[in-house]
Amino acid sequence: MANNKNNTILKAHQLSIGYKTKKIETIIASNINFELKKGQLIGLVGANGIGKSTLLRTLIKVQPSLFGSIQINNKDLDATSTIDLAKQLSIVLTEPLLSKNLSVFELIALGRHPYTNWIGSLSENDLTIINNALELVNILELKEKRCYELSDGQLQKVMIARALAQDTAIIALDEPTSHLDMYHKAYILKLLQKLTKETGKTILFSSHEIDLAIQLCDTMIVMQKNEVICDQPCNLISDGVFETLFPKDLISFDNKTGSFRVSK
Ligand SMILES: Nc1ncnc2c1ncn2[C@@H]1O[C@H](COP(=O)(O)OP(=O)(O)OP(=O)(O)O)[C@@H](O)[C@H]1O
């Protein structure tokens, strides 16, 4: 048990997420409790508008929680400075790049920002880490290209390499497979799985690719209307969690194949 506890890298306790203005508090989900383990691939899934991005943004401190606590490596997120957080957690969001004029190398080098001085000059160690990231994601041949020359799939790999160059224990990605074809969706998620195995990093991603997440993830966080459940995919299947994810009139879950089907 003690070993299990040490293995926890991110913990949410009695967490409520949502939006607050001066006048109104809108709770999107509450009573969220889970512990994410080191070296795992974790998929965050749920229907459109259920709150996946809200939860992900709260976990990475892009927006505040309404209640409860989040701990990374046993330290409260609220008590973690931005620079310390940047050394523990890297983020790949879906927003378009501010400057597509950067070369692939320059963009990945930005991942070293928590460690470089204010002019951003790169040491030998920084260069080694950037080259390792290019190799791990298998995009060495793109190194000199400008980002505007890349396809969506290539750009997604570059963003993952930038997160790797940041050298953090956790990488969080918001819908890393949106805009990709079936092959590249599988390619990117398989790449994330490979990276957890080869680097020991914990990778958390939100996605609509539930079938793929079931096949590739160690753990899944399933957001439902009244509950957020975190468990291994096989347990979630045997507990019937996916069967209630969407209205049955159109989509049903086949326990035997572990995949969704359109009702005829
Ligand atoms: N800035 C905001 N202020 C208030 N409400 C918001 C804001 N952003 C999102 N919401 C609401 O929060 C709820 C959850 O949205 P969120 O984007 O987290 O869902 P999601 O599961 O990521 O959706 P999708 O799968 O469609 O991307 C929605 O009802 C949405 O309207």
Side-chain angles (χ1 to χ4, degrees), residues 243 246-253 260-264:
E243 286 165 36
F246 302 110
K248 277 214 169 88
D249 57 334
L250 194 59
I251 304 272
S252 60
F253 186 75
F260 287 91
R261 294 215 149 269
V262 179
S263 309
K264 290 199 175 136

PDB file of all heavy atoms in Angstrom, residues 243 246-253 260-264:
ATOM      1  N   GLU A 243     -21.785   2.021 -21.016  1.00  0.00           N
ATOM      2  CA  GLU A 243     -23.137   1.786 -21.536  1.00  0.00           C
ATOM      3  C   GLU A 243     -24.056   2.985 -21.316  1.00  0.00           C
ATOM      4  O   GLU A 243     -25.047   3.155 -22.017  1.00  0.00           O
ATOM      5  CB  GLU A 243     -23.745   0.547 -20.864  1.00  0.00           C
ATOM      6  CG  GLU A 243     -23.126  -0.732 -21.392  1.00  0.00           C
ATOM      7  CD  GLU A 243     -23.423  -1.927 -20.507  1.00  0.00           C
ATOM      8  OE1 GLU A 243     -24.518  -1.993 -19.950  1.00  0.00           O
ATOM      9  OE2 GLU A 243     -22.519  -2.774 -20.379  1.00  0.00           O
ATOM     10  N   PHE A 246     -23.766   7.594 -23.512  1.00  0.00           N
ATOM     11  CA  PHE A 246     -24.559   8.295 -24.538  1.00  0.00           C
ATOM     12  C   PHE A 246     -25.992   7.738 -24.538  1.00  0.00           C
ATOM     13  O   PHE A 246     -26.194   6.580 -24.152  1.00  0.00           O
ATOM     14  CB  PHE A 246     -23.940   8.085 -25.925  1.00  0.00           C
ATOM     15  CG  PHE A 246     -22.518   8.556 -26.021  1.00  0.00           C
ATOM     16  CD1 PHE A 246     -21.471   7.647 -26.150  1.00  0.00           C
ATOM     17  CD2 PHE A 246     -22.219   9.915 -25.978  1.00  0.00           C
ATOM     18  CE1 PHE A 246     -20.156   8.083 -26.230  1.00  0.00           C
ATOM     19  CE2 PHE A 246     -20.908  10.350 -26.060  1.00  0.00           C
ATOM     20  CZ  PHE A 246     -19.870   9.441 -26.188  1.00  0.00           C
ATOM     21  N   PRO A 247     -26.984   8.530 -25.013  1.00  0.00           N
ATOM     22  CA  PRO A 247     -28.350   8.010 -25.095  1.00  0.00           C
ATOM     23  C   PRO A 247     -28.394   6.754 -25.969  1.00  0.00           C
ATOM     24  O   PRO A 247     -27.814   6.727 -27.065  1.00  0.00           O
ATOM     25  CB  PRO A 247     -29.119   9.162 -25.744  1.00  0.00           C
ATOM     26  CG  PRO A 247     -28.307  10.382 -25.456  1.00  0.00           C
ATOM     27  CD  PRO A 247     -26.878   9.925 -25.429  1.00  0.00           C
ATOM     28  N   LYS A 248     -29.070   5.711 -25.448  1.00  0.00           N
ATOM     29  CA  LYS A 248     -29.043   4.387 -26.096  1.00  0.00           C
ATOM     30  C   LYS A 248     -29.783   4.343 -27.428  1.00  0.00           C
ATOM     31  O   LYS A 248     -29.597   3.416 -28.212  1.00  0.00           O
ATOM     32  CB  LYS A 248     -29.664   3.353 -25.145  1.00  0.00           C
ATOM     33  CG  LYS A 248     -28.684   2.823 -24.118  1.00  0.00           C
ATOM     34  CD  LYS A 248     -28.998   1.350 -23.827  1.00  0.00           C
ATOM     35  CE  LYS A 248     -27.917   0.697 -23.024  1.00  0.00           C
ATOM     36  NZ  LYS A 248     -28.078   0.817 -21.594  1.00  0.00           N
ATOM     37  N   ASP A 249     -30.663   5.363 -27.683  1.00  0.00           N
ATOM     38  CA  ASP A 249     -31.431   5.319 -28.931  1.00  0.00           C
ATOM     39  C   ASP A 249     -30.516   5.347 -30.153  1.00  0.00           C
ATOM     40  O   ASP A 249     -30.881   4.878 -31.220  1.00  0.00           O
ATOM     41  CB  ASP A 249     -32.441   6.478 -28.977  1.00  0.00           C
ATOM     42  CG  ASP A 249     -31.757   7.835 -28.839  1.00  0.00           C
ATOM     43  OD1 ASP A 249     -30.676   7.874 -28.233  1.00  0.00           O
ATOM     44  OD2 ASP A 249     -32.303   8.829 -29.343  1.00  0.00           O
ATOM     45  N   LEU A 250     -29.312   5.887 -30.001  1.00  0.00           N
ATOM     46  CA  LEU A 250     -28.424   6.019 -31.167  1.00  0.00           C
ATOM     47  C   LEU A 250     -27.116   5.229 -31.031  1.00  0.00           C
ATOM     48  O   LEU A 250     -26.661   4.616 -31.990  1.00  0.00           O
ATOM     49  CB  LEU A 250     -28.115   7.509 -31.379  1.00  0.00           C
ATOM     50  CG  LEU A 250     -27.494   7.873 -32.714  1.00  0.00           C
ATOM     51  CD1 LEU A 250     -28.406   7.458 -33.863  1.00  0.00           C
ATOM     52  CD2 LEU A 250     -27.230   9.368 -32.785  1.00  0.00           C
ATOM     53  N   ILE A 251     -26.539   5.269 -29.849  1.00  0.00           N
ATOM     54  CA  ILE A 251     -25.226   4.633 -29.668  1.00  0.00           C
ATOM     55  C   ILE A 251     -25.284   3.651 -28.503  1.00  0.00           C
ATOM     56  O   ILE A 251     -25.747   4.007 -27.421  1.00  0.00           O
ATOM     57  CB  ILE A 251     -24.154   5.695 -29.304  1.00  0.00           C
ATOM     58  CG1 ILE A 251     -24.073   6.805 -30.347  1.00  0.00           C
ATOM     59  CG2 ILE A 251     -22.802   5.067 -29.069  1.00  0.00           C
ATOM     60  CD1 ILE A 251     -23.154   6.541 -31.492  1.00  0.00           C
ATOM     61  N   SER A 252     -24.800   2.444 -28.742  1.00  0.00           N
ATOM     62  CA  SER A 252     -24.734   1.500 -27.617  1.00  0.00           C
ATOM     63  C   SER A 252     -23.322   0.939 -27.513  1.00  0.00           C
ATOM     64  O   SER A 252     -22.563   0.939 -28.488  1.00  0.00           O
ATOM     65  CB  SER A 252     -25.756   0.372 -27.796  1.00  0.00           C
ATOM     66  OG  SER A 252     -25.470  -0.311 -28.991  1.00  0.00           O
ATOM     67  N   PHE A 253     -22.983   0.480 -26.325  1.00  0.00           N
ATOM     68  CA  PHE A 253     -21.634  -0.041 -26.100  1.00  0.00           C
ATOM     69  C   PHE A 253     -21.673  -1.558 -26.092  1.00  0.00           C
ATOM     70  O   PHE A 253     -22.524  -2.171 -25.434  1.00  0.00           O
ATOM     71  CB  PHE A 253     -21.093   0.488 -24.766  1.00  0.00           C
ATOM     72  CG  PHE A 253     -19.665   0.111 -24.532  1.00  0.00           C
ATOM     73  CD1 PHE A 253     -18.646   0.760 -25.214  1.00  0.00           C
ATOM     74  CD2 PHE A 253     -19.331  -0.904 -23.650  1.00  0.00           C
ATOM     75  CE1 PHE A 253     -17.315   0.412 -25.014  1.00  0.00           C
ATOM     76  CE2 PHE A 253     -18.001  -1.262 -23.441  1.00  0.00           C
ATOM     77  CZ  PHE A 253     -16.998  -0.596 -24.125  1.00  0.00           C
ATOM     78  N   PHE A 260     -18.031   1.069 -29.342  1.00  0.00           N
ATOM     79  CA  PHE A 260     -19.385   1.603 -29.522  1.00  0.00           C
ATOM     80  C   PHE A 260     -19.945   1.211 -30.880  1.00  0.00           C
ATOM     81  O   PHE A 260     -19.208   1.030 -31.846  1.00  0.00           O
ATOM     82  CB  PHE A 260     -19.348   3.133 -29.391  1.00  0.00           C
ATOM     83  CG  PHE A 260     -19.146   3.588 -27.972  1.00  0.00           C
ATOM     84  CD1 PHE A 260     -17.866   3.795 -27.475  1.00  0.00           C
ATOM     85  CD2 PHE A 260     -20.226   3.784 -27.124  1.00  0.00           C
ATOM     86  CE1 PHE A 260     -17.671   4.200 -26.160  1.00  0.00           C
ATOM     87  CE2 PHE A 260     -20.044   4.186 -25.811  1.00  0.00           C
ATOM     88  CZ  PHE A 260     -18.773   4.392 -25.329  1.00  0.00           C
ATOM     89  N   ARG A 261     -21.274   1.105 -30.958  1.00  0.00           N
ATOM     90  CA  ARG A 261     -21.958   0.773 -32.213  1.00  0.00           C
ATOM     91  C   ARG A 261     -23.128   1.718 -32.404  1.00  0.00           C
ATOM     92  O   ARG A 261     -23.767   2.121 -31.431  1.00  0.00           O
ATOM     93  CB  ARG A 261     -22.538  -0.647 -32.160  1.00  0.00           C
ATOM     94  CG  ARG A 261     -21.512  -1.731 -32.082  1.00  0.00           C
ATOM     95  CD  ARG A 261     -21.970  -2.982 -32.865  1.00  0.00           C
ATOM     96  NE  ARG A 261     -20.821  -3.681 -33.409  1.00  0.00           N
ATOM     97  CZ  ARG A 261     -20.305  -3.461 -34.599  1.00  0.00           C
ATOM     98  NH1 ARG A 261     -20.842  -2.581 -35.409  1.00  0.00           N
ATOM     99  NH2 ARG A 261     -19.250  -4.122 -35.016  1.00  0.00           N
ATOM    100  N   VAL A 262     -23.408   2.043 -33.657  1.00  0.00           N
ATOM    101  CA  VAL A 262     -24.598   2.847 -33.943  1.00  0.00           C
ATOM    102  C   VAL A 262     -25.780   1.899 -33.967  1.00  0.00           C
ATOM    103  O   VAL A 262     -25.735   0.854 -34.639  1.00  0.00           O
ATOM    104  CB  VAL A 262     -24.461   3.552 -35.312  1.00  0.00           C
ATOM    105  CG1 VAL A 262     -25.711   4.375 -35.600  1.00  0.00           C
ATOM    106  CG2 VAL A 262     -23.220   4.419 -35.327  1.00  0.00           C
ATOM    107  N   SER A 263     -26.846   2.230 -33.211  1.00  0.00           N
ATOM    108  CA  SER A 263     -28.025   1.356 -33.182  1.00  0.00           C
ATOM    109  C   SER A 263     -28.720   1.382 -34.535  1.00  0.00           C
ATOM    110  O   SER A 263     -28.836   2.438 -35.159  1.00  0.00           O
ATOM    111  CB  SER A 263     -29.000   1.824 -32.105  1.00  0.00           C
ATOM    112  OG  SER A 263     -28.307   1.980 -30.900  1.00  0.00           O
ATOM    113  N   LYS A 264     -29.184   0.172 -34.978  1.00  0.00           N
ATOM    114  CA  LYS A 264     -29.816   0.107 -36.321  1.00  0.00           C
ATOM    115  C   LYS A 264     -31.313   0.282 -36.214  1.00  0.00           C
ATOM    116  O   LYS A 264     -31.895   0.114 -35.179  1.00  0.00           O
ATOM    117  CB  LYS A 264     -29.466  -1.217 -36.967  1.00  0.00           C
ATOM    118  CG  LYS A 264     -27.996  -1.226 -37.324  1.00  0.00           C
ATOM    119  CD  LYS A 264     -27.657  -2.278 -38.352  1.00  0.00           C
ATOM    120  CE  LYS A 264     -26.194  -2.130 -38.741  1.00  0.00           C
ATOM    121  NZ  LYS A 264     -25.510  -3.390 -38.818  1.00  0.00           N
TER     122      LYS A 264
END
